[in-house]
C-alpha cells in the first residue's frame, strides 16, 4: 500500500531555480517530504526518480532521510572534494538514477 503513495507534484516552480544558486548541481526537480517541485514540466522518468525518493523518505520515517542524505553527501565531499561528485555518490541518488527508467521499479522494489 505504501508503494502506491505518490508525492504532490508542483511544476513550473521557482524553488529549484533558487536552490540551484546554493547547490553544487543545477536542480531540475527536488523532493522535500511529500512535495516535489520542478522548474518545468516533469517527464515520466523524472516523476519516477522523485517517487523513488518519496519511498526513501517514507522508509526513513521522514526525519531520517535528510539526515542520511546530508551524511552521505558529506562523506562524498570529503572523499572527492567536489560537491557535484558527492551528490552522485549519495546512496539515495544512486538508487533513483539507476532505477528511474524501469517503469515497474516501485512495484517490484
Amino acid at each position: 500500500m505504501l508503494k502506491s503513495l505518490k508525492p504532490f507534484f508542483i511544476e513550473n516552480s521557482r524553488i529549484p531555480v533558487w536552490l540551484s544558486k546554493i547547490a553544487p548541481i543545477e536542480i531540475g526537480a527536488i523532493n522535500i517530504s511529500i512535495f516535489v517541485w520542478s522548474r518545468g514540466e516533469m517527464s515520466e522518468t523524472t516523476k519516477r526518480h522523485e517517487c523513488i525518493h518519496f519511498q526513501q523518505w517514507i522508509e526513513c520515517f521522514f526525519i531520517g532521510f535528510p539526515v542520511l542524505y546530508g551524511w552521505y553527501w558529506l562523506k562524498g565531499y570529503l572523499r572527492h572534494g567536489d560537491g557535484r561528485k558527492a551528490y552522485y555518490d549519495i546512496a539515495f541518488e544512486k538508487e533513483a538514477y539507476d532505477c528511474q527508467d524501469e517503469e515497474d521499479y516501485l512495484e517490484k522494489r
Side-chain angles (χ1 to χ4, degrees):
M1 176 164 158
L2 291 178
K3 291 186 188 270
S4 65
L5 293 175
K6 303 248 187 272
F8 294 98
F9 295 108
I10 303 164
E11 296 177 315
N12 302 309
S13 170
R14 301 292 298 159
I15 290 174
V17 176
W18 298 330
L19 292 175
S20 290
K21 295 182 186 309
I22 59 170
I25 62 160
E26 188 75 18
I27 299 171
I30 187 165
N31 181 313
I32 301 174
S33 186
I34 62 171
F35 299 100
V36 175
W37 290 276
S38 78
R39 61 173 61 215
E41 291 186 27
M42 283 182 260
S43 67
E44 289 305 310
T45 300
T46 299
K47 287 181 179 180
R48 275 193 299 276
H49 180 104
E50 298 304 335
C51 283
I52 292 167
H53 285 319
F54 182 60
Q55 289 302 311
Q56 294 164 341
W57 275 90
I58 291 170
E59 291 165 358
C60 292
F61 302 104
F62 289 92
I63 299 297
F65 183 86
V67 171
L68 289 170
Y69 195 99
W71 171 248
Y72 288 134
W73 184 86
L74 181 60
K75 278 180 38 179
Y77 187 78
L78 293 173
R79 180 179 310 129
H80 303 292
D82 180 292
R84 184 175 180 80
K85 287 181 182 175
Y87 165 78
Y88 287 107
D89 210 25
I90 296 169
F92 296 129
E93 292 299 341
K94 286 181 179 181
E95 178 188 10
Y97 280 111
D98 287 349
C99 303
Q100 69 186 9
D101 293 321
E102 296 179 43
E103 292 182 15
D104 62 343
Y105 178 71
L106 286 172
E107 288 79 37
K108 66 181 185 180
R109 181 172 184 262

